[in-house]
Amino acid sequence: MPERFIVSKAEEDTDIYQNEENATGKLLNDFNSDPCDNPQTESSNEKSSIDANLYLYDDELDTRPHVSTFISSLANYENTIPSATDPDSKAAAPAARMGTLIGVFLPCIQNIFGVILFIRLTWVVGTAGAICGFLIVLTCCCVTMLTAISMSAIATNGVVPAGGSYFMISRSLGPEFGGAVGMLFYTGTTLAAAMYIVGAVEIVLTYMAPWASIFGDFTKDADAMYNNFRVYGTLLLCVMGLIVFLGVKFVNKFAAVALACVIFSIIAVYIGIFDNINGSEKLYMCVLGKRLLKDIPIENCTKSDPFLADIFCNENGCDEYFKTNNVSRVKGIRGLSSGVFYENIFPSFLEKGQLISYGKNAVDIENMAPSTYNQVVADITTSFTLLIGIFFPSVTGIMAGSNRSGDLADAQKSIPIGTICAILTTSSVYLSTVLLFAGTVDNLLLRDKFGQSIGGKLVVANIAWPNQWVILVGSFLSTLGAGLQSLTGAPRLLQAIAKDEIIPFLSPFAVSSKRGEPTRALLLTVIICQCGILLGNVDLLAPLLSMFFLMCYGFVNLACAVQTLLRTPNWRPRFKFYHWGLSLLGLTLCISIMFMTSWYFALIAMGMAIVIYKYIEYRGAEKEWGDGIRGMALTAARYSLLRLEEGPPHTKNWRPQILVLSKFNDNFMPKYRKIFAFATQLKAGKGLTICVSVIQGDHHKITNRAVDAKAALRKLMDDEKVKGFCDVLVSRDIGEGLSSVIQTIGLGGMKPNTVIIGWPYSWRQEGKQSWKTFIQTVRTVAACHMALLVPKGINFFPESNHKIGGNIDIWWIVHDGGLLMLLPFLLKQHRTWRNCKLRIFTVAQMEDNSIQMKKDLKTFLYHLRIEADVEVVEMMNSDISAYTYERTLMMEQRNQMLRELRLNKKENSKIVQTLVDFKEATGDDKLPLVQIIVDHHHDVTKTSSKVRFADPTNNVEEKHENDSDGDEKAKSKESDIDGLTTKFENGSTLNALEKGQSEDEKPEKKSGGNANKTLKPDEINVRRMHTAVKLNEVIVNKSQDAQLVIMNLPGPPRDSKIDRESNYMEFLEVLTEGLEKVLMVRGGGREVITIYS
């Protein structure tokens, strides 16, 4: 037998609930053990495991066992919780295995026939009338029957271990719902035990042994009665707790005796009703006019008797109603033949303080006297909905059998049959007794809740045959048995919740005793029950209990409806007499009764459920049980995705669905951690986030490495609180892998529309492949019409738990759909950027009216509902500076040399190192980059050209360092530049801001050697470099201290020549030089922001 189905020790005990419904998968996993663990040799294994008829499948026997082995293991499946035992102790005795009658039917009968049947049903019938009373009972019975049908479908859809209703709800609706409702149901069951105990004490002290009161006459002092209930209730709880501690067998043995008394009592009531068909001469009431009197001996029930005169008269005279009405004796039990049924048809609802009388005449029911004298008064305001709440606990208890499903021999068979038969039996009794009580007992006596008009006797007991003691003993034992069933089921329910480990602080209650009993859970149940007993009043507990039970029943119906409507493949219940419509009707009735009965108690119960739900969601262990809520989410997601596929989202509904392309370092950890924090800060748009990394290699060779990398990526997302998904792609080529991800990621209308990719900081050192991958990604994103975000200086970006202040500067150079406006707004929704101010800069050309341009931009922002400062930057025409010329020349020389030399790998590495050395050089000792490369290749010593250009962070004129021979060289260079500038101005299509510096900016350059004189840079490259330099100067001047600079990302070159791509990277470097935190943005080709509502 596989270890999965063997009761393990406490240290090795695993949670059966994590895998019971996935037993098949677990069985398969049991065969995945390491072959090295088997002491047999390989040859002996072959002899024993290879079957000549099934040799074809022998290679996979370790993961795919033979069907014979699998079925043998499945046949030995145990549906009980493995009991936790001491490792050094003997094995625990097997739990009691019960059938349908003992395990389900009798517990349900005992819990349903509780205290309400005997001490409240007659009052409900008299107050509500026969019709409304019948509807009240029928409504409550319909709720339990519909719930039982739903529960039967769930119970027969698989193995039901211990936990019953909790197990069914949690596996159908998820651990959060199951834990919340399970805890409420546990609390309700425990307090129900307290109610039954208090009711049993009330029966004994009020109707059987009033002389046993230890706090005086409790009939005249309510506090004395409640104190008696507390003392005797505590003693009775200790005795009942001891009986439950001895084991479920003792409870079942007592249950048989108690239930026999209950059944005999109910039969005695039926016999008594038909025995008194013509009425009973043993029971009379004293009536003044139409008002019911109490504590009046029947022999004194005459108006001339001084006993009544002393009550209603004093020195000031007699009560007016007493003087004007006669006193009469009325038979309490009038019998079915008397026609009293027609007097009890209609309701007689009263407000608190009104008098119980015949009819609804205000003269009779309103007490105008200063005292109530000995007249019976309504103690509470009654209504149809209130009576439902009071009566409903009398039909609860249908979960008594399912709560002990772990003790059943066949829970799938016993739960449906036993529960439904118990409900049919009790419902028949309730509905029939409602009609029989209405046709037998006088209306005034029915409405006398405590029997005060008949000397404090129990009304039902005086109907029964042969005498009242049959009912008194039967009701006491019935109530006692119901309390025992509650004390038996509640600890097992708590143990089932604790074993699932969804509520961490309940883990100590998962331990069982050596006999398999949940001792710790029983102790906690007794403590909570004692708190209920200290309340001392049944009427305080009943409405709250109704809420707990109704919530549980409602969720059982919801679970059945959800599973049926989703049509999940695993939903195959053996019980076929169910329908989702019945389940929804049951759910509707539960919710309606909750709010009709007591809306504030309903809100309290729901509030408790929400608190427990959120606690489990926050602190509980993650469980994957294939629950219906997850299936419903999948169905809703499918429906939504199909709807989204109908067309692209409207501009007003656009939000960034982010795809983060993360790069791994050598340890397969994400290289730039803060790019995830930046994605989190953009999630104010409530969009989707998908994080993907591409690993180079063959998938079948590095599968485990890819799994570990994905786990690391997932952990980083969790640390940075990125809500979304992650994945790792293995590809032979990084660029092709990124292209595949961008093109195929997402599903339907939930495809990402925004890509975040890090800046390749080492593109110069790593060579062609680095910028090739970056530019290829930019092109792919553009071809897919997706927006692109490239954060530069990502390590300087703030953490998500930091708050910063300052400015967010937006440099709006070209319009790309409004993404530059939307991104800072989304960032400001996050607490990190909330205190920053927005500043929007735009560039005015020579022919633009900068004043009108600024005014129009402010109007545009006003309509966008975005608050920001606006500034228009005017860029004057200027000549191309020597710095621009030199920077372009260096760029082209490098490309030319690398192309001509066709460097092999060894030489390339040397030059890369040279580039690194060049980067580390400082001050005047730094030679031009191209000169360094040439010197390295030709090994020729040349005189370096020392040139000092303007610092791009300062808007100052360039200065000569050496004036000795600079004039002639400067004039020669200026003539070359002027000629080049003139050439550019003819036929140029670029805007005016690209034409260079002003005429009076005359840079001078001191050059040694003739290396640079013969090379002429490309016209387009010079002009692009000029644009990058001038824009950089302006941006640095205005936004050097900004917390973030957002600008347009220029488009990549259309052709894929190495020179053009390298130049593009150089242009971007120049454009962002001197800026610490930059976000380059390129729109996806559609409007993402609108001024319309």
Side-chain angles (χ1 to χ4, degrees):
M1 182 187 299
E3 295 179 359
R4 166 63 177 82
F5 309 108
I6 297 177
V7 176
S8 58
K9 296 180 180 180
E11 289 79 11
E12 301 169 354
D13 189 18
T14 57
D15 191 357
I16 188 173
Y17 291 123
Q18 297 178 5
N19 298 297
E20 71 293 301
E21 70 279 51
N22 194 21
T24 302
K26 181 64 178 177
L27 280 167
L28 292 177
N29 293 334
D30 288 330
F31 291 94
N32 293 340
S33 58
D34 190 350
C36 297
D37 297 336
N38 197 327
Q40 296 179 352
T41 62
E42 186 177 355
S43 59
S44 62
N45 282 339
E46 291 180 357
K47 293 179 181 180
S48 61
S49 63
I50 296 177
D51 191 332
N53 297 323
L54 299 174
Y55 190 82
L56 180 63
Y57 300 95
D58 187 69
D59 292 340
E60 295 182 320
L61 280 181
D62 55 342
T63 58
R64 301 171 187 266
H66 285 165
V67 174
S68 58
T69 308
F70 172 74
I71 293 178
S72 174
S73 300
L74 188 61
N76 292 308
Y77 181 79
E78 294 289 344
N79 68 340
T80 57
I81 304 175
S83 57
T85 58
D86 189 352
D88 300 327
S89 64
K90 297 181 180 179
R97 313 301 291 172
M98 298 174 292
T100 302
L101 181 65
I102 299 297
V104 180
F105 182 79
L106 295 184
C108 288
I109 289 289
Q110 284 190 319
N111 268 14
I112 294 173
F113 284 149
V115 64
I116 303 296
L117 168 64
F118 299 102
I119 66 178
R120 291 293 184 269
L121 183 58
T122 54
W123 173 73
V124 170
V125 173
T127 304
I131 296 177
C132 292
F134 190 86
L135 290 177
I136 289 173
V137 176
L138 181 62
T139 301
C140 296
C141 292
C142 285
V143 170
T144 55
M145 178 56 71
L146 293 174
T147 304
I149 292 174
S150 300
M151 182 181 66
S152 299
I154 299 175
T156 58
N157 190 51
V159 180
V160 181
S165 57
Y166 157 73
F167 176 87
M168 291 184 286
I169 294 175
S170 61
R171 269 51 175 187
S172 299
L173 297 180
E176 295 85 2
F177 280 105
V181 179
M183 286 302 298
L184 289 182
F185 189 63
Y186 163 75
T187 306
T189 305
T190 304
L191 294 181
M195 184 186 71
Y196 292 136
I197 291 173
V198 172
V201 174
E202 179 180 342
I203 292 173
V204 172
L205 290 181
T206 305
Y207 306 114
M208 297 174 64
W211 48 265
S213 174
I214 58 177
F215 292 97
D217 188 2
F218 58 86
T219 59
K220 298 180 179 179
D221 185 4
D223 292 336
M225 179 173 61
Y226 295 149
N227 289 332
N228 280 307
F229 291 168
R230 295 183 180 102
V231 173
Y232 284 106
T234 301
L235 296 176
L236 185 57
L237 174 63
C238 294
V239 175
M240 294 173 65
L242 181 61
I243 294 174
V244 174
F245 173 75
L246 294 178
V248 68
K249 288 185 178 180
F250 296 94
V251 176
N252 292 331
K253 290 178 180 179
F254 178 80
V257 177
L259 185 62
C261 294
V262 171
I263 294 175
F264 185 76
S265 299
I266 294 175
I267 294 175
V269 172
Y270 281 104
I271 295 176
I273 289 175
F274 289 99
D275 181 61
N276 297 314
I277 192 170
N278 295 317
S280 175
E281 301 295 333
K282 301 178 182 179
L283 200 65
Y284 280 90
M285 304 176 296
C286 188
V287 179
L288 173 62
K290 294 184 178 181
R291 296 178 179 177
L292 181 64
L293 300 180
K294 65 178 180 178
D295 299 332
I296 304 295
I298 198 64
E299 60 272 10
N300 301 117
C301 186
T302 59
K303 193 170 184 178
S304 59
D305 193 286
F307 185 83
L308 287 178
D310 292 341
I311 295 175
F312 287 94
C313 300
N314 53 31
E315 63 274 7
N316 297 325
C318 295
D319 178 67
E320 190 66 27
Y321 191 86
F322 178 75
K323 292 189 297 182
T324 57
N325 290 276
N326 293 323
V327 177
S328 61
R329 300 178 182 179
V330 178
K331 187 185 295 185
I333 308 298
R334 298 171 61 178
L336 292 173
S337 62
S338 64
V340 71
F341 179 82
Y342 299 101
E343 299 177 10
N344 291 326
I345 288 179
F346 301 103
S348 301
F349 299 121
L350 296 177
E351 295 183 1
K352 183 179 181 179
Q354 291 182 334
L355 303 177
I356 295 177
S357 66
Y358 291 115
K360 298 182 179 180
N361 194 337
V363 176
D364 298 321
I365 65 176
E366 297 293 344
N367 182 26
M368 309 304 295
S371 173
T372 60
Y373 302 105
N374 277 36
Q375 299 169 112
V376 182
V377 181
D379 59 339
I380 59 173
T381 300
T382 54
S383 64
F384 181 83
T385 57
L386 176 68
L387 293 181
I388 290 179
I390 292 177
F391 178 76
F392 190 81
S394 65
V395 297
T396 60
I398 63 173
M399 299 288 187
S402 64
N403 286 344
R404 299 188 302 169
S405 54
D407 299 320
L408 300 175
D410 187 356
Q412 295 188 46
K413 177 182 177 182
S414 299
I415 291 177
I417 296 176
T419 304
I420 292 178
C421 288
I423 293 175
L424 290 175
T425 303
T426 55
S427 298
S428 300
V429 172
Y430 280 135
L431 292 173
S432 60
T433 51
V434 167
L435 300 178
L436 293 175
F437 286 161
T440 302
V441 185
D442 185 83
N443 180 262
L444 292 181
L445 184 57
L446 284 176
R447 294 159 63 192
D448 186 6
K449 182 188 293 187
F450 301 105
Q452 295 171 307
S453 61
I454 55 175
K457 297 179 180 180
L458 188 63
V459 177
V460 178
N462 285 273
I463 298 176
W465 175 90
N467 58 52
Q468 64 175 355
W469 285 99
V470 174
I471 299 300
L472 292 177
V473 174
S475 62
F476 172 75
L477 293 179
S478 171
T479 307
L480 201 64
L484 284 174
Q485 296 295 339
S486 298
L487 288 178
T488 303
R492 284 163 171 76
L493 177 61
L494 179 64
Q495 185 186 41
I497 299 174
K499 279 185 172 292
D500 268 347
E501 298 179 351
I502 60 174
I503 303 179
F505 65 82
L506 292 181
S507 56
F509 301 102
V511 179
S512 299
S513 65
K514 295 180 179 179
R515 297 179 294 106
E517 295 294 329
T519 306
R520 295 183 182 180
L522 175 62
L523 181 61
L524 179 63
T525 302
V526 170
I527 294 174
I528 297 176
C529 187
Q530 176 62 30
C531 296
I533 291 175
L534 293 178
L535 293 176
N537 192 348
V538 173
D539 296 330
L540 294 177
L541 294 171
L544 190 57
L545 295 182
S546 298
M547 300 304 148
F548 292 153
F549 289 124
L550 282 168
M551 285 195 67
C552 182
Y553 298 165
F555 276 102
V556 169
N557 286 297
L558 177 62
C560 181
V562 167
Q563 297 281 26
T564 305
L565 291 174
L566 290 179
R567 299 178 182 177
T568 54
N570 190 55
W571 180 246
R572 304 183 301 274
R574 290 194 179 94
F575 182 81
K576 302 299 181 183
F577 306 101
Y578 70 95
H579 190 270
W580 62 266
L582 296 177
S583 300
L584 289 181
L585 178 60
L587 173 62
T588 304
L589 285 175
C590 289
I591 297 176
S592 301
I593 292 175
M594 285 179 65
F595 283 94
M596 285 192 306
T597 302
S598 176
W599 62 268
Y600 48 89
F601 274 150
L603 293 179
I604 291 174
M606 288 184 174
M608 293 175 61
I610 291 174
V611 170
I612 299 174
Y613 178 95
K614 299 304 293 184
Y615 175 80
I616 296 175
E617 186 179 52
Y618 178 69
R619 293 293 303 274
E622 294 184 2
K623 302 287 183 180
E624 177 50 58
W625 289 328
D627 53 83
I629 293 298
R630 184 174 178 86
M632 189 162 55
L634 291 174
T635 302
R638 172 185 171 275
Y639 174 78
S640 300
L641 285 172
L642 293 176
R643 288 289 304 274
L644 290 174
E645 191 69 17
E646 295 178 0
H650 191 272
T651 301
K652 291 185 290 186
N653 295 327
W654 192 94
R655 59 188 63 189
Q657 315 289 356
I658 300 173
L659 170 61
V660 179
L661 299 178
S662 176
K663 184 178 181 181
F664 280 147
N665 56 22
D666 296 337
N667 297 325
F668 289 95
M669 295 294 293
K671 190 172 183 179
Y672 302 115
R673 182 186 185 93
K674 288 190 177 180
I675 201 169
F676 296 92
F678 178 69
T680 302
Q681 294 156 19
L682 275 177
K683 281 302 293 283
K686 305 299 181 184
L688 178 70
T689 300
I690 303 177
C691 301
V692 179
S693 293
V694 179
I695 300 177
Q696 190 170 10
D698 292 331
H699 184 264
H700 68 279
K701 294 181 179 179
I702 60 172
T703 302
N704 294 335
R705 191 179 302 171
V707 172
D708 296 340
K710 183 177 180 179
L713 191 60
R714 178 78 263 177
K715 183 179 184 304
L716 182 56
M717 290 180 63
D718 294 338
D719 294 342
E720 295 295 337
K721 298 180 180 180
V722 179
K723 301 295 183 181
F725 311 98
C726 68
D727 208 346
V728 172
L729 176 69
V730 180
S731 175
R732 294 180 182 272
D733 181 75
I734 297 294
E736 292 299 326
L738 291 173
S739 178
S740 300
V741 167
I742 295 171
Q743 294 180 60
T744 60
I745 198 71
L747 186 63
M750 293 302 291
K751 292 180 68 67
N753 54 28
T754 304
V755 178
I756 300 179
I757 185 172
W759 174 258
Y761 296 95
S762 57
W763 64 272
R764 287 195 181 98
Q765 287 82 358
E766 294 181 1
K768 168 187 172 182
Q769 188 58 38
S770 178
W771 80 66
K772 192 77 174 176
T773 301
F774 176 78
I775 295 178
Q776 181 181 350
T777 303
V778 175
R779 289 195 181 108
T780 305
V781 171
C784 294
H785 302 288
M786 302 167 70
L788 178 64
L789 308 182
V790 183
K792 192 165 183 273
I794 188 64
N795 291 330
F796 297 103
F797 277 54
E799 299 280 359
S800 295
N801 56 356
H802 292 171
K803 289 185 177 180
I804 61 174
N807 298 320
I808 299 178
D809 288 355
I810 302 102
W811 283 86
W812 194 15
I813 309 301
V814 295
H815 179 62
D816 59 352
L819 188 58
L820 261 72
M821 303 295 180
L822 185 60
L823 287 178
F825 170 78
L826 296 179
L827 285 176
K828 277 179 62 65
Q829 305 308 305
H830 195 272
R831 60 189 298 272
T832 300
W833 303 89
R834 190 166 297 160
N835 297 328
C836 293
K837 295 181 179 180
L838 300 184
R839 298 193 303 179
I840 297 180
F841 297 90
T842 188
V843 177
Q845 304 180 45
M846 288 296 297
E847 62 272 14
D848 294 329
N849 185 342
S850 59
I851 298 177
Q852 184 63 34
M853 191 175 177
K854 183 175 182 179
K855 182 179 179 181
D856 294 342
L857 183 54
K858 285 185 176 180
T859 304
F860 179 61
L861 292 176
Y862 174 79
H863 289 306
L864 288 178
R865 290 89 64 197
I866 295 178
E867 297 182 0
D869 297 332
V870 176
E871 184 172 344
V872 178
V873 178
E874 297 181 353
M875 297 189 66
M876 306 300 294
N877 287 340
S878 61
D879 295 333
I880 298 177
S881 65
Y883 173 76
T884 302
Y885 183 87
E886 178 70 16
R887 189 75 180 254
T888 308
L889 189 61
M890 292 165 55
M891 177 182 68
E892 293 189 352
Q893 286 180 329
R894 181 191 61 214
N895 293 336
Q896 180 180 352
M897 294 300 300
L898 291 176
R899 182 172 61 252
E900 291 178 353
L901 296 177
R902 301 180 184 272
L903 298 175
N904 57 33
K905 185 176 181 180
K906 182 177 181 180
E907 291 175 324
N908 191 18
S909 62
K910 292 180 180 180
I911 294 224
V912 168
Q913 183 59 42
T914 305
L915 295 177
V916 174
D917 297 339
F918 171 78
K919 184 177 180 181
E920 293 175 353
T922 58
D924 296 341
D925 296 331
K926 183 184 289 187
L927 298 178
L929 178 60
V930 179
Q931 190 67 43
I932 292 291
I933 299 175
V934 173
D935 292 347
H936 181 274
H937 183 71
H938 295 284
D939 199 18
V940 177
T941 304
K942 295 184 178 291
T943 305
S944 62
S945 301
K946 289 191 177 182
V947 182
R948 175 170 293 179
F949 302 105
D951 186 354
T953 60
N954 299 318
N955 189 15
V956 297
E957 295 184 355
E958 299 175 357
K959 301 294 183 180
H960 297 175
E961 184 178 51
N962 194 339
D963 296 334
S964 58
D965 58 347
D967 293 337
E968 294 182 0
K969 299 294 183 181
K971 289 179 181 179
S972 174
K973 182 58 65 178
E974 286 171 10
S975 62
D976 293 337
I977 295 175
D978 292 340
L980 187 61
T981 304
T982 304
K983 179 180 178 182
F984 289 165
E985 289 175 352
N986 296 328
S988 175
T989 59
L990 299 180
N991 56 38
L993 65 88
E994 295 180 289
K995 292 184 180 178
Q997 297 174 327
S998 58
E999 286 287 334
D1000 53 350
E1001 286 185 342
K1002 302 295 184 179
E1004 297 182 7
K1005 176 183 175 184
K1006 183 176 181 179
S1007 176
N1010 300 323
N1012 294 339
K1013 287 185 179 181
T1014 59
L1015 294 177
K1016 295 294 184 181
D1018 182 74
E1019 170 189 350
I1020 297 178
N1021 290 339
V1022 172
R1023 302 194 67 164
R1024 287 177 175 170
M1025 182 64 74
H1026 176 68
T1027 302
V1029 170
K1030 293 302 295 181
L1031 276 177
N1032 177 261
E1033 290 179 357
V1034 174
I1035 294 173
V1036 169
N1037 183 41
K1038 297 287 186 180
S1039 306
Q1040 188 174 13
D1041 297 329
Q1043 292 292 348
L1044 180 63
V1045 176
I1046 304 177
M1047 65 173 66
N1048 295 107
L1049 175 67
R1054 295 183 180 179
D1055 53 13
S1056 57
K1057 295 181 180 179
I1058 296 179
D1059 294 353
R1060 297 294 303 276
E1061 293 178 348
S1062 176
N1063 295 343
Y1064 174 73
M1065 300 297 295
E1066 189 68 36
F1067 295 148
L1068 296 183
E1069 285 283 6
V1070 173
L1071 183 62
T1072 59
E1073 199 171 33
L1075 299 174
E1076 188 178 62
K1077 289 172 286 190
V1078 183
L1079 178 63
M1080 291 178 282
V1081 180
R1082 183 171 177 80
R1086 60 160 297 170
E1087 293 292 332
V1088 300
I1089 195 168
T1090 179
I1091 64 174
Y1092 300 104
S1093 60

